[in-house]
Structure formats: structure tokens, C-alpha cells
Amino acid sequence: MSRNSRSGSRRAAAAALAITASLFLASCAGNDDNEGGGGGESADSGSSLKIGMVNEQADPGSPTKGGTLTFSGYSPVTTLDPAKAQVSGSTGGSELSAIYDVLMRYDPIEQTFEPQLAESLEPNAESTTWTLKLRDGVTFSDGTPFDAQAVTASINRYMTNKGPQSGLWIAKVASMDTPDATTVVFNLVDPWTGIEPMLSTGPGMIVAPAAQQGDQFTPIGAGAFTLEKFAPNEEMLLASRPDYYGGAPNVDKLKMVSILGAQPTSEALKSGGIDAAYIRTLGPILDLVESDYPGFIDIPSLGYIANVNMAAGRPGADLRVRQAMAYAVDPATLDVRANDGKGLPGQVIFQDTSRWHNDVAPIGVDPAKAKELLDQAKADGYDGKISYLTMQEPSAQATALAVQAMLNAVGFDVQIENVNNVGDLVKRMYADRDYDMATAALNLTEADPSERLYTGLKTGGRNNTTGYSDAEMDQLLDELGVAISDDDKKAVLVKIQERANETLPWQVWGTGPALDVWNQNVHGLQPSIDGILLFDEVWKK
């Protein structure tokens, strides 16, 4: 695999911005419709939510064959190409997995990775070489073999198209060998366990060799379903594959839709208009859980933050200004405004709902200290003015007004600047870099938080929109990348939290839950990484 980057055309640049937009939507989804949570420590929050299954169903007996299952995703599917999408539960990851499947699946209950289309994925003793074995009898939906050559060709295509995870992959994977038709050997630059989550998401969705013909892309995968109809931003209809390696799926059809708003989605689930959904809004989530709907709750970290532009000439370039902001804004107050105190407020990266939680204390809330730091910056010429970029959406506006009031109370002069939608917000932050402070999120996965920390914090990282640059943090991110055991990773994450408290790469206000949910007559859905659902075993009673 070539590690040389290609010069981008206009089309590639547009695709990259679209991917960035979907990544931002995936990570900041928790800020829409009062989803995000608020401030303080999670132990002090009013939330009873924990990561895991809720309202687990009794043994339903043998699967029933036939019928159509209707699933409402968080956002409409806009592309069928895994190399041009941020593959997550909130941005079409479940829908694409039905077509392509994935090499590996993350079991969020056992917190382990297990083979899906793969038969096995094993490291050497140093985790510098990983050997992937493919299952026998797997074919693409066009009948061609699902073999090692096809796997490496698809991964190379993903990297050439600069898929969202391509930068980290290229930095970590030196080469891929195919000693036989069922084996792929990944030779790494240094020890790395991040290959497992990679092969559970976009890079692990293998596209058939015949899928790309010049500029024409056809969604040909090895998943349990094939595309029957696709109306972008509206619906997608999938038909079951009788030749799927595990046998024909139980349901005949999958109907994928996206209902605008969590409350209408919840109502459609209750009325039977849909069978399953992915929801990121606290109020409906609490209601569905209390109403005994089965599902899986995920609580990604850093789901409710603000980015502060640190470019030269911006207020955030001064650490004292960022510190003053952090001391001035009480996340618990934001939680009361947005969630009636029932959210997951906090100032730390990993709250106590996360397996990566540590005992490093948050920076705390101290308006007097905020005023002192701001006065120091003003004495050196700062005028106290700052703009806060947000969307014209009720909960976002409520948050903006609360942030404005708390910052103004210590001496800032905050002006709220509105944009119409997430696309405009993304363009201002990621493309134009034209903002002072803006609503944002990272949504670090429980499976592996290192990928988004790396791309969001590393100097020059793909999604480092703030311009944050810190040599010590860069070194810590490199240490995290080569940490193998969970204990080693946790030890580095303690140092990352300590350094984040000192340098404030973001303003952290909390996080928010996500819920994969289904009706009582639905069985066999399998949660995976980052909110993705797998449908190959689903059935309706």
C-alpha cells in the first residue's frame, strides 16, 4: 500500500468536507434537541443512565421468518460509499453495515472485539503484526469471491479516497501482505490495537472490486442485504440475500428511514410505524426506558463541549482567556437549563459512566478566579470581546444564552452568532476556521477513545479545528497509540486529562446518551461500535 498522499481535486476536497460534516454531525449529535447534558461531575448529575442493555427481553424462542423491519436512523443516509461517510450509528453506519457487513464487531457488553465476516484477527506478541483470517464461503452480492485481494483492494481504496480514518491508518500500517486467498497480514509501524476498531467501522466495510467503475459507484458488498431502492435523504429499501454466508436473513426486507426529531421518532416507535430506531435525545430516551422498551444505551465521552479557536489573533490563543471561560461556566447550570438537571454534566473527559474514567479532579468552577485571569488578559490588551457560534435550534439557543450570561458576569463581552444548520457550522469551523468559540463535541467511543483524541488534539490533526498544539500532549497521544493493555491506556489517559486541565483544548460541559431501541416484538439486533446496529440476525415475532 502506498503511503504517499495524492494531490486533491475539487471533487476530493468536496468529499473531504462532506466527510468532515458527517463526522461533526456524528460527534455533535448529542447537542441537538436537548441531548447534550450539562456540567458538574457525573456523580452529581440527576441521570440514572448507565452504559448497557435496558429492559432485556425474555427468550423469544425460534426466529420467525419473513416480513419487513423498519428502522429510523438519526440522520438520513446521503452516501452509500463507506469511503465517503463517517461510519457511525448516527450517520448511516447501521444502514451501510446491512449492505457491506464488517470484518469485526465490537461487543459493548463484554467490551471485546469478535469476528464478523472475519474468522479471526490475531496479533503477534508485540502487537506489531496482525493476521486476519477470512471465513470460508463468503461472497459479494455479485457472486465474486470475498478474498484477501478484495479486502486489501477495498482498504487501499478507502485510504486513496481519504476516508475519515485514513490519516491514522496510514501512520500506523506500513504494509499489507496476502500470503493466500484467506489471509491478510497487517505489518504495523509500531504496536497498535486500534486496528480492531478500525476493522469494525469504515475500513472494515469491504467494497467489491466491481463496485467502482470509473466515476460510477455501485454498492456491492458482502452483507446480508442488497440495495433495492435508494432515495437520498428519504429512505432506503434493502432486500435479504439468500446466499449470505450465515444463511438468508430472517426478515425479507429492511426499510431505512430518518424521522426528523427524536420525539416524532419515539412516537412512531410507540405507534408501530417503525420497529427500531437510534435516538440521541435525553427526554425521549428516559421516556422509552421508563416505558420498558428494550435497547442498548451508549454514553460516549466528550459529547457536550465548545471549541475555542486558538489561532493567532483570536481570544482563545491566550491560555488565560480559555481558563477564565472554564472557571466561569458552570456545567451544572447548563444541565438545569437543557435537561431539568437529569443530564450528564461534567468537566472531565471521561465521566464515571465510562470504563476509562479516572480520579483526576476537574478544573472546577470559580467565577472570582475567572475574573482575575480575564483582568490579567485585559491588562495586556485584550478587550474582552468574543463571539459564540451556534445553531438556530431551541436547545442550542438556550445553551448559548446561559453561556453568554455566565461569561459576561465575569467581564467578557459575548456576542452570539447564529447559523442555520450543522452544515454551515461545520464550514465555519472546519473549512473557514472563522469563529472564536463554537458548540461542538468529539463523542469518544468506549471501544477505543484514542482515534478521535488523536485526530482532534494532535498538532495538525485532520479534525483539529481549534489549532491546538502542545508538544507534551502530542507525546502523550503517541504513547496512547502504542499502549496495548487497558491498564496501560488508562495510565496514559490520566496524563492526558492532567495535561488537558492545564492547557484546555476544549471547554468541557458534559456528555449525553444514545439509545439503540426497538419494539418488544423485535429480536436479534446486535449493537456494535459507536451506535452501529447489525441486522443479519434480526427478526420480528
Side-chain angles (χ1 to χ4, degrees):
M1 176 176 59
S2 172
R3 300 185 63 192
N4 296 325
S5 60
R6 298 183 177 183
S7 58
S9 63
R10 292 180 184 175
R11 182 179 301 163
L17 183 57
I19 289 170
T20 302
S22 65
L23 173 60
F24 181 81
L25 178 59
S27 61
C28 77
N31 291 336
D32 294 340
D33 298 329
N34 293 343
E35 296 172 20
E41 279 293 291
S42 60
D44 299 327
S45 76
S47 177
S48 60
L49 298 176
K50 302 293 181 185
I51 296 171
M53 301 298 295
V54 293
N55 303 320
E56 294 188 65
Q57 297 154 289
D59 183 358
S62 299
T64 301
K65 297 286 187 177
T68 297
L69 181 128
T70 302
F71 172 77
S72 178
Y74 179 80
S75 59
V77 177
T78 58
T79 178
L80 299 177
D81 186 346
K84 296 183 179 179
Q86 174 63 33
V87 176
S88 71
S90 60
T91 53
S94 298
E95 292 88 336
L96 293 185
S97 73
I99 298 173
Y100 301 100
D101 218 327
V102 282
L103 289 169
M104 301 292 292
R105 172 194 169 236
Y106 180 65
D107 184 334
I109 307 302
E110 298 298 326
Q111 299 177 351
T112 57
F113 289 91
E114 60 184 35
Q116 181 72 5
L117 284 181
E119 181 179 279
S120 63
L121 178 65
E122 298 292 339
N124 64 357
E126 297 79 24
S127 292
T128 54
T129 299
W130 290 74
T131 300
L132 177 77
K133 287 287 187 179
L134 301 177
R135 294 183 187 273
D136 291 330
V138 180
T139 62
F140 292 105
S141 61
D142 65 352
T144 56
F146 184 86
D147 57 17
Q149 291 292 337
V151 168
T152 56
S154 178
I155 293 175
N156 281 332
R157 175 184 178 277
Y158 184 96
M159 303 309 150
T160 299
N161 279 276
K162 298 183 179 180
Q165 295 142 305
S166 58
L168 183 56
W169 178 279
I170 291 169
K172 289 291 189 179
V173 180
S175 63
M176 295 183 290
D177 297 329
T178 53
D180 57 59
T182 62
T183 306
V184 179
V185 179
F186 300 96
N187 304 299
L188 308 184
V189 174
D190 47 34
W192 188 45
T193 61
I195 192 169
E196 291 181 295
M198 285 275 197
L199 297 181
S200 303
T201 54
M205 291 185 173
I206 304 305
V207 173
Q212 190 78 55
Q213 300 292 329
D215 291 337
Q216 182 67 36
F217 177 79
T218 304
I220 305 172
F225 297 86
T226 57
L227 183 67
E228 189 170 289
K229 173 188 175 183
F230 180 48
N233 296 307
E234 294 181 16
E235 72 171 32
M236 185 165 70
L237 189 63
L238 305 177
S240 66
R241 278 185 62 192
D243 60 342
Y244 181 60
Y245 87 92
N250 296 309
V251 296
D252 295 329
K253 307 273 187 180
L254 288 180
K255 184 179 180 181
M256 307 301 208
V257 300
S258 179
I259 299 171
L260 182 61
Q263 190 59 43
T265 303
S266 174
E267 292 169 359
L269 188 71
K270 290 182 176 182
S271 70
I274 60 174
D275 300 298
Y278 180 80
I279 295 178
R280 297 190 58 90
T281 300
L282 181 63
I285 286 175
L286 293 174
D287 175 62
L288 289 168
V289 171
E290 291 166 2
S291 300
D292 295 327
Y293 280 80
F296 175 76
I297 290 176
D298 191 20
I299 305 177
S301 298
L302 289 182
Y304 190 35
I305 67 175
N307 280 337
V308 179
N309 195 340
M310 302 176 203
R314 296 282 181 173
D318 189 329
L319 175 60
R320 296 169 301 181
V321 172
R322 304 200 304 275
Q323 289 172 325
M325 293 176 182
Y327 285 125
V329 175
D330 182 1
T333 299
L334 296 183
D335 182 44
V336 170
R337 292 283 189 95
N339 299 312
D340 295 327
K342 295 179 181 179
L344 293 158
Q347 288 183 318
V348 294
I349 300 172
F350 302 103
Q351 298 190 9
D352 62 4
T353 52
S354 172
R355 69 187 179 116
W356 306 107
H357 177 68
N358 55 60
D359 294 329
V360 178
I363 188 172
V365 178
D366 188 339
K369 196 166 186 178
K371 188 177 187 307
E372 178 184 345
L373 287 161
L374 181 57
D375 287 345
Q376 291 175 12
K378 286 181 174 179
D380 290 337
Y382 173 47
D383 61 7
K385 292 182 179 181
I386 191 165
S387 65
Y388 179 71
L389 185 67
T390 190
M391 291 179 288
Q392 289 181 326
E393 180 276 326
S395 65
Q397 291 292 301
T399 296
L401 290 170
V403 170
Q404 181 187 49
M406 285 184 274
L407 290 180
N408 285 353
V410 300
F412 282 97
D413 180 3
V414 179
Q415 298 298 314
I416 298 173
E417 188 175 359
N418 297 306
V419 292
N420 292 325
N421 52 56
V422 71
D424 292 341
L425 193 65
V426 166
K427 185 176 185 298
R428 287 283 299 276
M429 273 201 292
Y430 287 85
D432 302 338
R433 306 292 172 100
D434 181 19
Y435 73 100
D436 288 339
M437 182 182 188
T439 181
L442 280 184
N443 273 10
L444 309 178
T445 69
E446 280 292 283
D448 179 30
S450 63
E451 177 197 327
R452 288 181 185 168
L453 281 174
Y454 185 94
T455 58
L457 286 182
K458 188 77 169 180
T459 299
R462 179 186 178 98
N463 291 304
N464 183 344
T465 182
T466 65
Y468 175 81
S469 179
D470 180 75
E472 184 174 334
M473 184 67 82
D474 286 345
Q475 182 178 343
L476 291 173
L477 292 169
D478 289 338
E479 289 180 21
L480 182 62
V482 299
I484 301 304
S485 71
D486 281 1
D487 286 343
D488 288 344
K489 293 176 184 178
K490 288 176 181 177
V492 181
L493 290 171
V494 166
K495 298 176 185 178
I496 287 176
Q497 179 66 75
E498 291 171 341
R499 190 60 182 164
N501 284 354
E502 295 169 357
T503 59
L504 296 175
W506 334 269
Q507 302 288 304
V508 181
W509 298 331
T511 194
L515 176 66
D516 284 313
V517 62
W518 48 89
N519 279 315
Q520 287 285 355
N521 69 328
V522 174
H523 305 275
L525 283 170
Q526 297 184 84
S528 186
I529 193 171
D530 209 7
I532 292 172
L533 280 174
L534 302 182
F535 295 93
D536 53 293
E537 296 182 7
V538 71
W539 59 282
K540 294 170 65 175
K541 192 169 184 177

